[in-house]
DNA sequence: TTAACTGCCTGTAGCTGCTACAGGGTCAAG
DNA sequence: CTTGACCCTGTAGCAGCTACAGGCAGTTAA
């Protein structure tokens, strides 16, 4: 199949497929006489593998590592487990810091509900006070430090 | 004060300060005879404002907008509230998708605990099956579609 | 016949928010 | 006179794509 079909089947962009090839994640396909890329089912499987990993937030570097493991099925899978564990830890950290962000933004939002002039807007004032080092609603824990 | 002191006071990198200036977020400072940047307290406040917004995940484009609002205190603050609301929505979405990711990764992790060969590793097999379109532990909802 | 259209090609630049050089000047202390 | 801590400009790099520009290939419609 050609690149357009492959891309559609694995639900990604044509440019992305070429990008993965350039990055050495996807095997180079054969070429037709006119230079068009000619893909096999094996390529489709590879691409699906990459996209699936990506959908799990696994970075291209890690995907490259996993692809290398695929070709050596006799190695211990210890490293794979570690890789996934690291990924879980990373995502967990991100979730936590986003949760905190959400709380902070809500606190900031609560300082202004009425439609006022910018000069009296609670949000704007809070942000400006914070800039002056006076402490703010959104980062309350820093007050007590 | 010079750039190094300013950067230290607002707890960011010297290069970042210059970057904000290039981006038009921070007012251009006066220069000493030798070309060194000469900052005032006003600059420090501006920089703190930017950093505080950034710590709330507010993008540079939005910070630019907020900075413009600062200079027109008589405008209605409606837009500011909307801007923060949009920010909250964005962060909330991100949190949700990360939470889902975390669940998926845990499901994947649960497919292999023992130290085995890569060829038998549950994680690797799960990923490979998914690539073949057989459904996977990490994206269970897609099975039933 | 020719024009339009779709799909493919290569190569390069852009996005965000910095960060990290290279290659150079300034100034005080030892 | 050299070392070291600053400062300067300008450019390239990071991730993971995305979006052109400029051009060829192959099919179809007027």
């Amino acid at each position: 199949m050609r690149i357009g079909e492959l891309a559609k089947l694995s639900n990604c962009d044509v440019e992305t497929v070429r990008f993965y090839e350039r990055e050495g994640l996807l095997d180079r396909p054969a070429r037709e006489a006119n230079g068009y890329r000619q893909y096999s089912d094996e390529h489709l499987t590879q691409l699906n593998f990459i996209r699936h990993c990506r959908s799990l937030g696994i970075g291209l570097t890690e995907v490259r590592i996993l692809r290398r493991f695929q070709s050596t099925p006799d190695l211990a899978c210890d490293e794979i487990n570690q890789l996934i564990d690291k990924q879980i830890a990373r995502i967990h950290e991100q979730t936590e810091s986003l949760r905190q962000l959400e709380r902070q933004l809500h606190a900031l939002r609560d300082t202004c509900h009425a439609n006022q002039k910018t000069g009296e807007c609670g949000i704007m004032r809070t942000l400006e006070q914070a800039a002056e080092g006076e402490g703010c609603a959104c980062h309350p824990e820093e007050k007590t430090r």
Side-chain angles (χ1 to χ4, degrees), chain A residues 91-103:
Chain A
I91 299 293
H92 188 73
E93 248 174 63
Q94 276 182 35
T95 314
E96 276 312 295
S97 88
L98 276 183
R99 242 206 277 271
Q100 203 187 335
L101 248 186
E102 223 180 312
R103 273 201 302 277

Side-chain angles (χ1 to χ4, degrees), chain A residues 44-130:
Chain A
L44 178 58
T45 303
Q46 282 180 19
L47 184 52
N48 281 337
F49 181 86
I50 298 167
R51 295 304 291 173
H52 190 242
C53 289
R54 292 292 303 123
S55 82
L56 291 168
I58 297 172
L60 295 186
T61 309
E62 285 78 30
V63 176
R64 236 181 298 261
I65 294 167
L66 289 175
R67 291 267 287 116
R68 230 173 294 137
F69 271 109
Q70 282 185 303
S71 45
T72 52
D74 285 342
L75 253 80
C77 77
D78 213 34
E79 267 189 70
I80 297 175
N81 297 18
Q82 274 173 34
L83 192 149
I84 299 299
D85 283 339
K86 220 178 268 178
Q87 184 65 14
I88 289 173
R90 215 169 50 76
I91 299 293
H92 188 73
E93 248 174 63
Q94 276 182 35
T95 314
E96 276 312 295
S97 88
L98 276 183
R99 242 206 277 271
Q100 203 187 335
L101 248 186
E102 223 180 312
R103 273 201 302 277
Q104 289 164 357
L105 280 168
H106 276 298
L108 176 63
R109 184 64 181 84
D110 285 343
T111 61
C112 181
H113 281 305
N115 191 2
Q116 298 177 313
K117 286 182 181 175
T118 295
E120 286 124 36
C121 172
I123 293 176
M124 209 64 193
R125 284 170 92 123
T126 305
L127 288 173
E128 281 163 352
Q129 275 168 28

